[in-house]
């Protein structure tokens, strides 16, 4: 009498769920499930990286912190990628900080185990390499965007990038936090958010953002959003869920 076949583990993380059975079975032995709360630090500046993270939901933010305490975001990562890939490039630490910006769930893996599986698993290696390239492009595009585009365009771009990685049209974020992420005063973010609200593209109340008109938000955003989205798609990375929301009356 044959024994029942054990069901394959299911994941929402794009890298994990695309792995063939043999690879995910090996990797799953070393994954530890986590609840990821807001402001939970995944990587501290200049500290040795001991774990990498595969997010299943929520959002992680990579920020540069200046000596005066000012911060600016250089990249975000959700269920499309991996946090901590720099260890695979031969570095033990990074000068940036990575923390949970929107609460969610995920898995952590020790760096030693990740490096072993990276060497032994062709699909895992290919997927992570593609994500590394996409992440580098995201950082470069964000730097250009922060320098050249106005705050309303940048805010629209940032909201779209968050929305792509969320399972909901609503998520919690404060204007003060947005100011830190976009490298601009809170009062400026408030003015930009007001522009988007009056246009009926988003609504905002008590820290909760609701995306009301996805197509309209894409029209307001600068070119950086469509550039990044195209680059991710060309690399086979599904950062976007192809959401379309019609304007509400």
């Amino acid at each position: 009498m044959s024994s029942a076949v054990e069901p394959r583990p299911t994941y929402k993380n794009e890298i994990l769920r695309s792995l063939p059975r043999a690879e995910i079975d090996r990797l799953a032995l070393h994954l530890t499930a986590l609840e990821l709360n807001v402001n939970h630090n995944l990587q501290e500046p200049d500290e040795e990286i001991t774990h990498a993270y595969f997010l299943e939901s929520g959002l992680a933010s990579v920020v540069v912190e200046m000596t005066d305490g000012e911060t600016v975001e250089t990249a975000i990562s959700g269920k499309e990628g991996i946090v901590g890939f720099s260890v695979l490039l031969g570095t033990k630490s990074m000068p940036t900080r990575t923390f949970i910006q929107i609460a969610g769930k995920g898995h952590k893996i020790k760096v030693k185990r990740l490096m072993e599986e990276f060497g032994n698993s062709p699909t895992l290696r290919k997927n992570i390499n593609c994500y590394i390239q996409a992440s580098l492009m995201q950082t470069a595009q964000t730097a250009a965007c922060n320098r050249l585009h106005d705050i309303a365009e940048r805010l629209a771009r940032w909201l779209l990038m968050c929305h792509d990685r969320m399972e909901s049209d609503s998520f919690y974020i404060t204007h003060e936090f947005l100011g830190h992420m976009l490298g601009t005063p809170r009062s400026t973010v408030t003015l930009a958010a007001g522009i988007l609200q009056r246009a009926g593209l988003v609504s905002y109340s008590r820290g909760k953002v609701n995306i009301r008109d996805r197509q309209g938000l894409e029209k307001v955003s600068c070119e950086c959003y469509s550039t990044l989205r195209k680059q991710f798609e060309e690399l086979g990375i599904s950062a976007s869920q192809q959401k379309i929301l019609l304007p509400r009356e």
Side-chain angles (χ1 to χ4, degrees), residues 151 155 174-180 182-195:
I151 185 61
L155 178 56
T174 66
H175 283 187
E176 182 177 8
F177 194 77
L178 279 172
H180 287 304
L182 297 173
T184 194
R186 174 182 175 179
S187 57
T188 305
V189 173
T190 300
L191 290 173
I195 293 172

Side-chain angles (χ1 to χ4, degrees), residues 15 18-19 23 88 117-134 234-237:
I15 292 176
S18 64
L19 297 180
E23 290 190 25
L88 301 172
E117 291 303 318
F118 186 79
N120 296 328
S121 303
T123 306
L124 177 67
R125 183 165 59 250
K126 176 184 176 182
N127 291 351
I128 291 180
N129 282 339
C130 285
Y131 181 71
I132 290 173
Q133 183 176 346
E234 287 179 349
L235 289 169
I237 299 171

Side-chain angles (χ1 to χ4, degrees), residues 31-218:
L31 296 174
T32 301
L34 297 172
E35 293 283 342
L36 299 169
N37 298 319
V38 174
N39 291 326
H40 177 82
N41 286 322
L42 302 181
Q43 293 178 6
E44 293 279 9
D46 301 318
E47 289 190 2
E48 183 178 358
I49 300 171
T50 59
H51 292 82
Y53 299 84
F54 295 95
L55 271 63
E56 294 276 285
S57 60
L59 200 69
S61 178
V62 182
V63 298
V64 174
E65 298 179 327
M66 301 301 176
T67 55
D68 62 0
E70 291 295 318
T71 63
V72 65
E73 184 179 75
T74 60
I76 61 175
S77 181
K79 62 186 181 65
E80 82 286 1
I82 177 175
V83 173
F85 63 73
S86 58
V87 296
L88 301 172
L89 303 177
T91 184
K92 292 184 177 181
S93 65
M94 289 290 287
T96 53
R97 182 165 75 96
T98 304
F99 64 98
I100 295 299
Q101 184 180 103
I102 298 176
K105 297 180 180 181
H107 301 273
K108 71 176 180 179
I109 183 172
K110 291 182 179 179
V111 162
K112 180 181 178 181
R113 296 298 186 186
L114 176 64
M115 295 178 73
E116 289 174 355
E117 291 303 318
F118 186 79
N120 296 328
S121 303
T123 306
L124 177 67
R125 183 165 59 250
K126 176 184 176 182
N127 291 351
I128 291 180
N129 282 339
C130 285
Y131 181 71
I132 290 173
Q133 183 176 346
S135 185
L136 292 173
M137 291 188 296
Q138 182 188 160
T139 299
Q141 195 75 36
T142 298
C145 185
N146 288 342
R147 172 64 180 85
L148 299 173
H149 297 141
D150 68 43
I151 185 61
E153 292 176 319
R154 289 162 51 200
L155 178 56
R157 183 262 302 169
W158 190 89
L159 291 173
L160 286 166
M161 291 175 67
C162 288
H163 189 225
D164 285 344
R165 292 159 175 82
M166 295 293 101
E167 296 180 344
S168 170
D169 297 329
S170 302
F171 43 90
Y172 286 90
I173 202 83
T174 66
H175 283 187
E176 182 177 8
F177 194 77
L178 279 172
H180 287 304
M181 295 304 96
L182 297 173
T184 194
R186 174 182 175 179
S187 57
T188 305
V189 173
T190 300
L191 290 173
I195 293 172
L196 301 183
Q197 283 198 93
R198 287 191 294 274
L201 307 180
V202 302
S203 60
Y204 185 90
S205 177
R206 298 180 180 180
K208 185 178 182 180
V209 177
N210 294 283
I211 306 298
R212 301 183 64 192
D213 182 357
R214 167 82 192 201
Q215 290 178 316
L217 202 59
E218 289 186 14

Side-chain angles (χ1 to χ4, degrees), residues 134 138 165 228-237 239:
Q138 182 188 160
R165 292 159 175 82
L228 285 171
R229 180 167 170 170
K230 180 181 178 182
Q231 290 170 341
F232 270 66
E233 290 173 350
E234 287 179 349
L235 289 169
I237 299 171

